[in-house]
Structures are given as structure tokens and as C-alpha cells.
């Protein structure tokens, strides 16, 4: 084991100081000779750090975009799978009675749309309209009264197709 | 009288030169150890240390300026001129140090 005592240090003070001064002198000469190369190396390092940082930011941005895209895709996939499970009918009419009957009949007429893709029906609303168009709906069997209906609004929300219909009396609607 | 004047002038010159050269060399080492650009730091130090090298060589500008003032007011223009020459000598030493650094590093700030 190398053991340095204070006595040894005192004894070799001059060589030690000379060694340290030599070290400083050598370092200085090295710096004067090679400082420009060192500078260019430092510059290169900084440029690499900067490029690395930029790439890291780009990667983060791409990851965010990827997540957003994945979310959007999964949402659109679920939308595609969404089917009509319930049909709800709202009647827009001035008459207070008979609307429940009309609702029931319209629901019966629209039954074929159950279990159909929501997106498909929403993209082709004229199908729903054509089913109901010019179809006389009896509201009073005893008096043999009939009405015609037309679609006012059509909404799709959480597996429910909601249909707002307007009632026309054949006598009044026909010119 | 002539010998002390020349001795002091040369002393001032070399002190100023040594302050610049030593300061720049050790400052460059510090820059290298701290991850700074050595050349740029050394050149800047050479410029910044110039005035302090003169101050260090003269032993404090305040005393020199006071001596100039006293000599001028006392009518000893020769003494005042000597003080001015000491300042010039230290300036030349400091400036030479800066020039040497620039030539060695082959760069400009």
C-alpha cells in the first residue's frame, strides 16, 4: 500500500510544486494548440444535442398524433357497429287525441329498420321517408278516418332512432 | 534615477503581460473543465483582463492618478510624465499579451 505522510510531502515539496506547475504548463500548451479542435468538438456536440432534442420533440408529436388517430379509428369502428335497437316516434300534431295510435303504427311501419346500421340509415334518410310517404294511417276505425304523415326530423342517438312526424289530413293536404 | 524608471517600466510591462497570459491560460483550463468553448472563452478573457492587467501592474490606478495630480500641481512635470509612461508601459504589456493570445489561437472574438 502506498502511504504518503506529511513528512514525505514536506520533503518533496519542490518536486510536487514543479509537477503541478508542469501540469498547468502542459495543460496551457495543450489548450493553446488544440483549443480550436476542442471548440469544434463542443460545437458538434451542441449541434447533436439540438438535433436529438428536435427528434425527441418530433417523436412525441408523432406519438400524440398516433394516439389521436387510434382513438378516432376505434370510435369510428364502434360507430360502424352501432345498430338501431329502438325506434321512438314523436308526433307533431294539433289534434290531441289519436297520437298514440299513430305512434304505434309508425313504429310498426319502421320495424324493418331495427338492427340495421345507424350509419347506413342516417346516410340514407330518404329510405325512412319513403316508407312513410303517402301511407294512409287509420286513426279511428269506427269513423274510418285516415291521415298521412311525413317526416319532420330524424335523429340517431345511442342505438335509438327518433322520428318526428307531421300529420296531414288527406282532405286538407290535397289541393 | 534612470535605472529605477526603466526597471519599473519593464516590471509593469511584464506584470501586465503575465496577468493576461496567466489569466487566459488558467481561464481556458476552467472553461475546458466546465464544458465551455475554450477558444472563445480565452479570447474574451484576453480582452477583459487587459484593463485589470494594467491595474495590477501599476498597483492600483488610484495611487498613480493621485501621484500624477500631485506632481502636476507641484510643478514636477517630469515625474508626472514618468507615471504616464508607466501606464503606457503596462498598457503595452497587456496589449501584447492579448495580441499573443490572438496569434496563438489564430482567431478573433
Amino acid at each position: 500500500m502506498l502511504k504518503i505522510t506529511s513528512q514525505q510531502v514536506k520533503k518533496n515539496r519542490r518536486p510536487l510544486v514543479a509537477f503541478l506547475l508542469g501540469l498547468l504548463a502542459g495543460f496551457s500548451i495543450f489548450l493553446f494548440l488544440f483549443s480550436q479542435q476542442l471548440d469544434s468538438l463542443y460545437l458538434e456536440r451542441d449541434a447533436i444535442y439540438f438535433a436529438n432534442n428536435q427528434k425527441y420533440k418530433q417523436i412525441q408529436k408523432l406519438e400524440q398524433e398516433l394516439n389521436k388517430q387510434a382513438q378516432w379509428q376505434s370510435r369510428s369502428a364502434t360507430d360502424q357497429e352501432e345498430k338501431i335497437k329502438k325506434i321512438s316516434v314523436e308526433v307533431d300534431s294539433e289534434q290531441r287525441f289519436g297520437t298514440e295510435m299513430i305512434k304505434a303504427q309508425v313504429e310498426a311501419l319502421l320495424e324493418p329498420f331495427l338492427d340495421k346500421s345507424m350509419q347506413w340509415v342516417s346516410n340514407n334518410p330518404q329510405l325512412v321517408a319513403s316508407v312513410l310517404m303517402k301511407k294512409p294511417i287509420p286513426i279511428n276505425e269506427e269513423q274510418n278516418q285516415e291521415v298521412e304523415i311525413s317526416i319532420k326530423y330524424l335523429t340517431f342517438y345511442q342505438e335509438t332512432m327518433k322520428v318526428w312526424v307531421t300529420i296531414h289530413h288527406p282532405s286538407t293536404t290535397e289541393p | 534615477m534612470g535605472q529605477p524608471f526603466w526597471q519599473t517600466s519593464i516590471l509593469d510591462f511584464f506584470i501586465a503581460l503575465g496577468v493576461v497570459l496567466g489569466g487566459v491560460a488558467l481561464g481556458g483550463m476552467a472553461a475546458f473543465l466546465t464544458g465551455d468553448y475554450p477558444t472563445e472563452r480565452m479570447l474574451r478573457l484576453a480582452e477583459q483582463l487587459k484593463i485589470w492587467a494594467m491595474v495590477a501592474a501599476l498597483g492600483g490606478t488610484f495611487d498613480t492618478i493621485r501621484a500624477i495630480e500631485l506632481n502636476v500641481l507641484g510643478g514636477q512635470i517630469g515625474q508626472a510624465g514618468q507615471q504616464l509612461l508607466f501606464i503606457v508601459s503596462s498598457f503595452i504589456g497587456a496589449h501584447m499579451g492579448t495580441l499573443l493570445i490572438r496569434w496563438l489561437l489564430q482567431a478573433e472574438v
Side-chain angles (χ1 to χ4, degrees), chain A residues 24 28 31 35-36 39 42 46, chain B residues 28-29 32 36-39 105:
Chain A
L24 288 177
S28 304
L31 271 181
S35 66
Q36 286 204 332
D39 264 18
Y42 279 137
D46 285 352
Chain B
M29 278 181 224
F32 174 71
D36 199 359
Y37 299 105
T39 310
L105 297 176

Side-chain angles (χ1 to χ4, degrees), chain A residues 101-102 105-106 109 135-139 145-149:
Chain A
M101 203 177 196
I102 295 168
Q105 288 192 50
V106 171
L109 280 170
K135 195 146 269 185
I137 292 171
I139 53 167
Q145 273 190 332
E146 286 180 346
V147 288
E148 280 181 9
I149 53 169

Side-chain angles (χ1 to χ4, degrees), chain A residues 1 3 11 22 35 37 48 51 66 79 95 99 128 132:
Chain A
M1 278 280 285
K3 225 176 179 179
K11 215 175 178 182
S35 66
Q37 274 108 315
I48 289 167
L66 199 68
D79 282 353
Q95 64 184 60
T99 52
V128 182
L132 298 175

Side-chain angles (χ1 to χ4, degrees), chain B residues 1-32:
Chain B
M1 187 178 158
Q3 207 176 3
F5 168 74
W6 285 113
Q7 273 181 0
T8 315
S9 297
I10 291 164
L11 197 69
D12 284 351
F13 173 84
F14 278 101
I15 289 169
L17 185 69
V19 168
V20 173
L21 290 180
V24 167
L26 294 176
M29 278 181 224
F32 174 71

Side-chain angles (χ1 to χ4, degrees), chain A residues 125-143:
Chain A
Q126 71 275 9
L127 288 171
V128 182
S130 65
V131 167
L132 298 175
M133 204 166 59
K134 301 272 179 191
K135 195 146 269 185
I137 292 171
I139 53 167
N140 195 334
E141 282 175 16
E142 285 174 7
Q143 291 176 4

Side-chain angles (χ1 to χ4, degrees), chain B residues 35-53:
Chain B
D36 199 359
Y37 299 105
T39 310
E40 197 202 344
R41 175 61 59 195
M42 284 161 93
L43 288 168
R44 284 195 189 285
L45 276 173
E47 288 296 325
Q48 288 167 358
L49 283 175
K50 212 194 246 183
I51 190 83
W52 296 108

